[in-house]
Amino acid sequence: MRFTALAKITAVALSLTLAATACGGESGGGETDNTITIGLPTGWAEGEAASHLWERILKDKGYRVEVKGLDVGPLFTGVAKGDIDLFLDTWLPTTHEDYWKRYNKDLEQLGVWYSNAKLTIAVPSYSPLKSLEDLKGKGGDYGGKIIGIESGSGLYRISSTKMLPDYGLKGEYTVTASSTAAMLAELKKALDAKKDIVVTLWRPHWAYAAYDIRDLEDPKGSMGGAEEISSVARKGFSKDFPDVAQWLKKFTMNDQQLGSLEDLLENKYKGDPQKAVDEWLKANPDFVSGITG
């Protein structure tokens, strides 16, 4: 009798172990912990779009996902230290050059998902300015300000430390440090009042579709050429999550795909990113299977 009882207990324990193992969803690859932390770059529309899209993809595949919103500097530090698993908005070779040089030994570059990114200086379409060269001598018309974003961003660094001196604008203009949201609010306010304004911006960005704006020509190339946006992970991520690493290597978005997702996130479903992703996935039904299939 004692033998029979022991056999039953062993069988039950074995069945519970197997059931627990089977509950891991589709997060194959042998991970002991299927939690993935995504670092969301606050204020960067394309990074927010990619982050929320992958939040949904990974959750649907059985992973637990945590999203942490931070400025770019702390994001690179967090990934390099292993506190954050993924950062989907690394701009190379120019915008995030400093961070890449500092941390690349502790990072994995998983793949380029957008290859025509660009830093810009933008104005309303009615602006008399055509080129960055036209700013010279007109600082008084703009309060000596070019409206910038976060001080830790590559866009702020390049526009303030390279573009201004290249065009002889240092001392006449300053690039203000605020936030992306504050910059966009000032841009909209100026557009509504038909006033002149100069802002730092980048492509891809939903503002180009939402507002009647254009880029100033950059004959000296101070803002840099076309850049690539990459998915970057902490060291060892590919070993811990081989399936996800392979999916990210196949991940790409074109202008229409990215622009439409950004528009849903920033305008139609502001504050409710999962509704935006829901609608976008319905309009792009084969997108996920093309990556994970």
Side-chain angles (χ1 to χ4, degrees):
M1 291 291 290
R2 288 181 60 191
F3 177 81
T4 302
L6 179 61
K8 287 181 178 180
I9 291 172
T10 302
V12 170
L14 178 60
S15 66
L16 288 173
T17 300
L18 292 172
T21 303
C23 287
E26 296 182 52
S27 56
E31 306 88 7
T32 57
D33 180 1
N34 72 341
T35 300
I36 294 176
T37 303
I38 298 175
L40 185 148
T42 305
W44 289 69
E46 77 290 336
E48 292 179 354
S51 298
H52 287 303
L53 177 60
W54 274 95
E55 178 186 9
R56 167 56 60 81
I57 292 172
L58 294 175
K59 282 182 176 179
D60 286 349
K61 290 295 181 180
Y63 293 88
R64 292 181 297 182
V65 181
E66 297 178 358
V67 177
K68 293 185 178 180
L70 295 168
D71 288 342
V72 170
L75 276 178
F76 271 100
T77 302
V79 179
K81 289 182 176 179
D83 297 330
I84 295 172
D85 293 304
L86 288 174
F87 174 38
L88 300 166
D89 201 20
T90 296
W91 286 47
L92 293 172
T94 304
T95 303
H96 294 147
E97 177 184 12
D98 288 354
Y99 294 119
W100 188 252
K101 286 180 178 178
R102 190 183 314 168
Y103 295 121
N104 73 85
K105 292 181 180 179
D106 297 312
L107 305 174
E108 293 183 2
Q109 189 174 14
L110 298 178
V112 173
W113 62 268
Y114 186 86
S115 57
N116 195 32
K118 198 173 189 311
L119 301 181
T120 63
I121 303 294
V123 296
S125 292
Y126 54 74
S127 171
L129 302 173
K130 302 298 180 184
S131 166
L132 288 170
E133 294 177 321
D134 297 336
L135 286 166
K136 185 75 173 175
K138 298 184 178 69
D141 297 339
Y142 300 93
K145 294 179 180 179
I146 296 172
I147 309 303
I149 60 169
E150 293 79 5
S151 61
S153 67
L155 175 56
Y156 176 83
R157 174 180 58 83
I158 289 168
S159 57
S160 59
T161 66
K162 183 166 176 57
M163 183 274 290
L164 288 184
D166 280 358
Y167 285 95
L169 303 175
K170 200 169 183 179
E172 184 180 359
Y173 292 86
T174 59
V175 178
T176 64
S178 57
S179 68
T180 301
M183 177 275 291
L184 290 168
E186 289 201 44
L187 175 61
K188 186 177 187 305
K189 182 179 178 181
L191 288 165
D192 290 343
K194 297 294 183 187
K195 291 184 177 181
D196 286 327
I197 190 172
V198 184
V199 303
T200 63
L201 201 55
W202 64 92
R203 293 177 180 270
H205 198 286
W206 60 266
Y208 286 100
Y211 304 136
D212 190 13
I213 57 177
R214 57 179 171 78
D215 299 334
L216 291 181
E217 295 173 6
D218 179 17
K220 296 181 185 295
S222 300
M223 299 300 291
E227 296 191 70
E228 296 179 332
I229 305 178
S230 298
S231 303
V232 168
R234 61 168 173 79
K235 205 74 172 178
F237 180 85
S238 294
K239 181 180 178 180
D240 293 338
F241 298 98
D243 290 345
V244 179
Q246 287 301 313
W247 298 339
L248 284 164
K249 288 176 182 178
K250 293 192 287 183
F251 168 53
T252 61
M253 296 188 83
N254 60 36
D255 286 329
Q256 191 281 327
Q257 291 170 330
L258 182 55
S260 60
L261 180 54
E262 285 185 358
D263 183 51
L264 289 169
L265 282 164
E266 299 295 330
N267 299 306
K268 187 172 182 179
Y269 296 110
K270 184 72 173 179
D272 196 345
Q274 290 310 306
K275 281 189 177 179
V277 173
D278 279 343
E279 182 167 324
W280 190 86
L281 288 173
K282 288 178 182 177
N284 298 269
D286 299 325
F287 184 82
V288 175
S289 62
I291 296 170
T292 64

